[in-house]
Amino acid sequence: MEKYTTYDQDVLVVGAGGSGLRAAISICQAGLSCGIVTKSLLGKAHTVMAEGGAAAALGNMGEPDNWKVHFKDTMKGGRFINNPRIVEIFSKEAPDRVRELEEYGAVFDRTPEGLISQRPFGGHTYRRLNHVGDRTGLELIRTLQDKVVSYKPIVYMEHTLTRLLMDGDRAVGAFGYNRQTGEFVAFRAKAIVFATGGWGRMYKFTSNSWESTGDGAGMAYEAGAELMDMEMVQFHPTGMLWPPGVRGILVTEAVRGDGGILKNNKGERFMFNPEYMPELYKGQYADTEEEGYRWLTDKVNNRRPPELLPRDVVSRAIYKEVLAGRGSEHGGIYLDVSQMGAEYIKRRLPSMWEQFYSLGGIDITKQPMEIYPTIHYTMGGIWTESETCSTSIKGLFAAGESAAGLHGANRLGGNSLTDILVFGKRAGDHAAEFAKNADFGKIDSSQIEEEANTLLAPFTNPGKENPFKLTQELQEAMQEGAMIARTEESLTKALNKVMELQERAKSIHVEGDRVYNPGWHTARDIRFMLKTSEIICRCALERKESRGAQWRLDYTDASEEWGKINLIAQRDGDAVKLIHRPVPAMAPELAAMFEEIK
Amino acid sequence: MASYSANSREEGRAPLPMENRERDWWLMPLLTVVVLTLFGIYTTFRAFENNYYHYTNNGADYLSPFYSPLLPIAWYLHLPLFGLKMVSPAIYILIFPLAFRLTCYYYRKAYYRSFFWDPPACAVAEPRADARMKYTGERKFPFILQNLHRYAFYAAVVIVIILWKDTVDAFIWTNPDGTHHFGIGVGSIVFLVNIILLSLYTFSCHSWRHFIGGKHNCYSCSCGTRSSYGIWKKVSFLNHNHALWAWVSMLSVWFTDFYVMAVASGMFKDIRIL
Amino acid sequence: MRDKVTIRLFRGNADGGTETDYEVTTFPGMVVLDAIHQIQGTQDSTVACRWNCKAAKCGSCSAEINGRPRLMCKSHVEDFADSNGLIRVHPLKTFPLIKDLVTDVSINYRTAEKIPPLTVSEDIPRPFKMQQIDVERIQEFRKCIECFLCQDVCHVLRDHNRKDGYFGPRFMIKIAALNMHPLDSENRLRQLKEEGGIGYCNITKCCEEVCPEHIHLTDNGIIPLKERVADYYYDPLKILIRKIVGPKKR
């Protein structure tokens, strides 16, 4: 049997992004021992990529904003398959979570009154995104990192976990390896929080880092947890397109919030085309370009331009424009902010300017950007209970992008940074509560042995498959078949390819030893990616309608029936079992709010 | 103490090649050494020369910045400095701008790099391996005195005021009858450019930037701090190019002195413009 | 632009290593990190390097390209290839090597722990009111992505190996961001002078030269801190005044 080291922690937090760190703060505050496991170094998690801001209805901008409006915006954005109770908790607790960050050391941009400045964003009725220039995610993670470090938890940097250890139906630990040495590690914990992020890496053009391979969802699935809304993968309308070296890198929505306009190759602001305006948002956006411009300076008396419609709407419009032959030179659309002036751009969007200038060789103060939708976020994930963030596995909690239920079919920009704060805290609190009333479970060494063998197999495997090659093939298949516009045919093709790759993955072979060996790491990652991709395809095939991020060319309309259903995916031996579960009903007082505005 | 599982191998650094940079890294240090050395030689020579520093022909009044203000002869003759008597008054004057430039945050960078090779250039290995652990930076004498840069700044302000007066004088010409009139010679322009550059250098000083507003944490908290914010912003703007001002003002001082020396010694003639 | 370039990559660990040449195929906008990925994917899957975002926002892919500390994701292949199409890529030199381009930077995390977090007195009203003019200065320092290139290039750490005496530029500006915070009540000058070792810095500004976020570490951070330390510990007039008037309230 392979050697491994065992560590004991009251609560184990898997993932050191925003939600993991926020959970860790709560656990430390509860006086428990906390271990944080991260695949990277501390502070490098995907949270740093978030740019625009954290949405919370502080109402600092003189607009009548409150949690109810935020609730309504989020439900509408999610096309009503979000869990209303989760959204309620979210919008009510968001302001406190954001203000608390200031206490921890965050330094947001200010209003003239000295309060946190808020910017407008797609799908939000009022200016609601608390921000620091266009690097809000960095500010968040650094703030949380500094705060959590002051409690002196144990941070296991560059450790990958690959298996949830079960004691009957309860999660009691996790097993994996130290990336730096290749040594195996096992963690024993009374409670486990999964804050493992999303899985945008299975697409070719992605704004996600290598880390987003869906290990968390994969591990939870393999242990029998329920996954929900897995078909809902968000395409951010504006990813960098040219040159190829930068393809997929995100262009923040703040560019549009701060005056950036979308143009096709005829120079038309095509978002004003009434064809692209969904019924749900009619009358709430500017009808003319003049009003759109006026809104930049007078937000109270004008409506926002339609470039700021929710992400799924804008992505579809861009897709259609390009399809109709009105695309840019390299097959995208132009995003132009140059009319706002160099000084303004460099002050409001400094890191965007830098990103285009130094990575792409483009000066956005002088020329338009070429953009195309890129994979950005996964709304689906591990099913969680609304109050406690507990999953369908006892002792396992989930928060942030790895959890499902808040965003429904489409996430509004700015809601993810608040998501990780609100539910990071809740998951931490409730995991701590659970751990206080629990003992360490029993670790089953046969599970460890099984996983160790799985991990080591690629070294001795007689096969010839290259893990990087398989990853590339998977990304191409998913990009082609499960992107913005989906059909039965494209999804089936992608699914078949995924199944074929799953077979081939069994004969992956890697060279070298276990010390920091990327080939070996990828050999395990790809198995999570393949399983998650399979689930995405199956769920997308199952949901025979268009809703939010799920756009089916063969079922172009939203169906009332599907609007009441969340798709649950659960492991059933080697097969994926899909369950139709009714969307939780909205509490009467919340439902009444919708009657008011309708 | 929190622990990080990253295996600590602080001692075992990689056996990497020592030298890696492109070949041109030594250009800046070399240039610095050459120019500063030349300036040093010229200044020393002029400081001890004790001649050709005041041009008063044709009613002009050009006083070399090395010798301004004019010290009474008896004064400097009987003030011992480092045991030297009978030396030139310039010694007593130059010590102040020298101290200002020697402790200046920009010049420190320049000479630590080019004369002390601490480091010679970024990511270029320092050659004196034996001195590695002896490095104390600015923690020990004499370099700890760099912390008193502000006092050199105060003196430099006095010098700048005096040199402004000299510049005004360079525009005032004496008639044969003892009366004065306004006029411009090439020398006047030289003086004006020099004092402007010197002022830019002096008032872009880091210590001044700290003194005038950098020391505050909250600018909006009172009326006083709010106005100091405005000045601090402007000084910060100047400060951004402190190195540039340091170089050009050094060259302009040198040229001003050279000009006075040249016209006073008759090397060439000053030309009246107005 | 040439079709192929050669990456001369340092391969090895703390026990030793060699440079190995890899030929990679270029494409428009290709960065050095792309080249490393291509090597991993098609030539040698054991090449170790750190990376995350590939958009210069996370600060993971620090390395020394042609001897210059750089982010690999921000270094275009065409800018670094010499006339023979050769690019040399080495790990950070200041930190202990783990493997290939991966070094042990954990000392930076241990240093970060020594710095007390923001401390705001209880009697300051909540939510905080701060003006933009009061926070813009510290916002510059908070742009830091912790790539540790400044720590790598700082000669105090790199050549003199005084990691025991000096926190390094990254932590000087971290303290600056706290010390200049309008609401912070912690006295940080003693730490700066003693444990932090600000006196080791001889403001030779290499940290500023390599910073991918263009933070003015020395001009806006370390020098103002040196002036603050001088105010408190070195300026005889100020010390005298403080003796007479008593310490200033913050």
Side-chain angles (χ1 to χ4, degrees), chain B residues 212-239:
Chain B
I212 198 61
K215 61 186 175 190
H216 300 301
N217 288 340
C218 182
Y219 294 113
S220 62
C221 290
S222 78
C223 221
T225 49
R226 215 166 302 148
S227 49
S228 76
Y229 173 77
I231 309 174
W232 175 75
K233 275 301 249 196
K234 291 187 181 79
V235 174
S236 299
F237 176 75
L238 287 182
N239 178 265

Side-chain angles (χ1 to χ4, degrees), chain B residues 4 10 23 117 142 174 194 206-207 222 228 253:
Chain B
Y4 297 93
E10 198 48 44
R23 296 283 153 254
W117 287 27
T174 312
N194 178 45
H206 289 87
S207 284
S222 78
S228 76
V253 164

Side-chain angles (χ1 to χ4, degrees), chain B residues 7 122 150-151 219-220 229, chain C residues 104 134 136 204 206 231 235:
Chain B
N7 311 288
C122 298
R150 53 194 61 190
Y151 288 95
Y219 294 113
S220 62
Y229 173 77
Chain C
D104 175 9
D134 299 324
E136 63 192 10
T204 33
C206 286
D231 267 355
D235 188 331

Side-chain angles (χ1 to χ4, degrees), chain A residues 40 42 44 51 103 109-110 114 139 143 146 158 209-211 245 354-355 358-359 466 515 518-519, chain C residues 41 45 47 50-54 57-58 74 76 99 109 126 130-132 139 142 145-146 174 214:
Chain A
S40 297
L42 188 59
K44 306 295 180 198
E51 292 159 347
E103 195 84 36
D109 288 348
R110 318 306 297 182
E139 185 74 16
T143 302
D146 290 350
E158 305 206 300
S209 81
W210 69 268
E211 289 192 299
E354 169 75 22
Q355 177 177 317
S358 65
L359 301 181
N466 173 336
V515 176
Chain C
S45 66
V47 170
R50 281 199 185 102
W51 71 284
N52 279 55
C53 72
K54 202 179 166 289
K57 289 189 195 315
C58 75
K74 219 180 165 183
H76 286 279
K99 184 185 167 191
Y109 293 92
R126 269 68 170 177
M130 297 185 280
Q131 289 297 321
Q132 188 62 36
Q139 283 182 335
R142 295 188 65 91
I145 57 174
E146 296 201 331
K174 191 184 186 82
H214 311 297

Side-chain angles (χ1 to χ4, degrees), chain B residues 165-188:
Chain B
K165 186 197 168 284
D166 291 345
T167 306
V168 172
D169 287 345
F171 285 88
I172 297 171
W173 301 69
T174 312
N175 297 322
D177 61 0
T179 57
H180 303 290
H181 70 277
F182 176 82
I184 302 174
V186 170
S188 320

Side-chain angles (χ1 to χ4, degrees), chain A residues 354 358-359, chain C residues 31 56 61 70-76 212-214:
Chain A
E354 169 75 22
S358 65
L359 301 181
Chain C
V31 291
C61 60
R70 300 271 313 180
L71 291 180
M72 289 195 285
C73 66
K74 219 180 165 183
S75 304
H76 286 279
E213 287 289 305
H214 311 297

